[in-house]
Amino acid sequence: MTSNLAAVSYGVNLSPESLDNVRKVLADAGAEVSSESQSGDHRFGVHTAGLAVDAITPEALTSIRRRVAEAADAGVDTAIVPEDLRQAPRKLLIMDVDSTLIQQEVIELLAAYAGKRDEVAAVTEAAMRGELDFAQSLYARVEVLAGLPAAVVDSVRAEVRLSLGAAELVAAFKEAGHAVAVVSGGFNQILGPIAEELGLDYWIANELEIVDGALTGRVLGDVIDRAAKEKYLRKWAAAEGIDLQHTIAVGDGANDLDMLGAAGIGVAFNAKPAVRAVADAVINMPYLDAVRHIANV
């Protein structure tokens, strides 16, 4: 029987016992394993099982994903991915930036220069959990930056570190001929140089207002919020002629939920509980390039 799904298991503690557990859950869900392969490296292991499942409806796919997630061993996650996506000739990878593409939250780095890091971090956490309106929380956080010299932007840019495996992930997608985009609730002044260095196809973030060499505490134009992230996913996929079912979205916060839900597969990367609970797949280790294995790139 031809595989129509893949079960991609990955983790730093990928053991024979944990894989036996995955196989049992899949069998109980009516999924027949038709092939198996191993990959990964010294950081984490990867096991991919081709699955043949009758009548794959969205409801059936959700049910299998839930059953596998609920039975997962500690340190091991399994993504259930349609083979149609994994075998697509062209795909679009779209990612959040703060705490996804990069390790930090830029607004918190900026706020540190105003002596407000802890205060701003608390608001950011609440916004990422979905407890606050994102746009209003952004305005409040940016307001504390008023009067800071514009030079702090350069200082913060130097502090930013890509997530482990981020550069390798982007390079792999680009080398294979796929499109890569990022959409951020952060700031163009920080994201621009990163996007250029990585060779991203598309990117957008908010614009900090700078007047007479100082931050005004305001952002220019429309805020890149939850709805905007989904909008740009759809816009860029259409521009590339890529079916929405062949897109992979990765994020960590509540403002990523619409984007994750609209993509062919939505991946929660070291995400807040509310995001992990509804994402199609989760990555609970610091290696962003695990997305390569999910997408078969």
Side-chain angles (χ1 to χ4, degrees), residues 8 20 25 49 55 63 87 105 108 111 114 127 142 145 261 286 297:
V8 185
D20 284 341
V25 175
S63 175
Q87 302 304 326
E105 291 284 337
E108 296 174 13
V142 172
L145 308 179
V297 172

Side-chain angles (χ1 to χ4, degrees), residues 155-226:
S155 299
V156 165
R157 193 182 299 127
E159 294 179 51
V160 169
R161 296 291 179 269
L162 292 174
S163 291
L164 301 177
E168 292 83 356
L169 173 64
V170 173
F173 266 77
K174 294 290 291 176
E175 184 177 344
H178 305 303
V180 183
V182 297
V183 58
S184 174
F187 308 106
N188 283 325
Q189 286 92 338
I190 302 296
L191 179 56
I194 297 172
E196 292 177 11
E197 180 181 342
L198 292 175
L200 301 179
D201 297 287
Y202 302 96
W203 60 275
I204 193 165
N206 298 299
E207 184 80 12
L208 289 167
E209 184 180 56
I210 298 175
V211 176
D212 297 330
L215 301 181
T216 66
R218 294 187 292 270
V219 293
L220 299 172
D222 295 334
V223 169
I224 304 301
D225 59 7
R226 178 171 171 166

Side-chain angles (χ1 to χ4, degrees), residues 59-290:
E59 294 76 17
L61 183 55
T62 297
S63 175
I64 293 173
R65 285 171 169 163
R66 183 176 63 250
R67 293 170 72 165
V68 170
E70 289 174 350
D73 290 342
V76 177
D77 294 303
T78 299
I80 307 298
V81 194
E83 276 295 341
D84 183 58
L85 185 157
R86 284 173 52 84
Q87 302 304 326
R90 288 202 75 229
K91 305 163 191 172
L92 169 66
L93 169 64
I94 184 167
M95 295 179 284
D96 172 45
V97 176
D98 293 40
S99 296
T100 300
L101 181 70
I102 65 173
Q103 297 179 33
Q104 300 95 340
E105 291 284 337
V106 166
I107 186 63
E108 296 174 13
L109 299 181
L110 288 166
Y113 286 86
K116 301 283 188 177
R117 181 165 189 162
D118 290 346
E119 172 187 319
V120 165
V123 176
T124 299
E125 278 292 308
M128 292 302 99
R129 291 193 300 265
E131 297 168 3
L132 300 173
D133 175 79
F134 181 81
Q136 294 304 316
S137 76
L138 180 69
Y139 292 142
R141 287 174 288 164
V142 172
E143 191 174 352
V144 308
L145 308 179
L148 287 177
V152 303
V153 173
D154 297 325
S155 299
V156 165
R157 193 182 299 127
E159 294 179 51
V160 169
R161 296 291 179 269
L162 292 174
S163 291
L164 301 177
E168 292 83 356
L169 173 64
V170 173
F173 266 77
K174 294 290 291 176
E175 184 177 344
H178 305 303
V180 183
V182 297
V183 58
S184 174
F187 308 106
N188 283 325
Q189 286 92 338
I190 302 296
L191 179 56
I194 297 172
E196 292 177 11
E197 180 181 342
L198 292 175
L200 301 179
D201 297 287
Y202 302 96
W203 60 275
I204 193 165
N206 298 299
E207 184 80 12
L208 289 167
E209 184 180 56
I210 298 175
V211 176
D212 297 330
L215 301 181
T216 66
R218 294 187 292 270
V219 293
L220 299 172
D222 295 334
V223 169
I224 304 301
D225 59 7
R226 178 171 171 166
K229 290 191 173 193
E230 180 187 353
K231 179 185 79 172
Y232 282 105
L233 161 63
R234 293 180 181 275
K235 178 180 178 178
W236 293 335
E240 292 291 327
I242 295 173
D243 190 289
L244 207 60
Q245 293 307 306
H246 299 160
T247 63
I248 305 99
V250 188
D252 74 299
N255 61 328
D256 298 315
L257 284 173
D258 291 359
M259 175 177 76
L260 299 186
I265 188 165
V267 181
F269 179 69
N270 291 320
K272 306 302 181 287
V275 181
R276 293 199 305 269
V278 298
D280 299 320
V282 299
I283 298 173
N284 291 311
M285 58 184 183
Y287 307 114
L288 188 60
D289 54 324

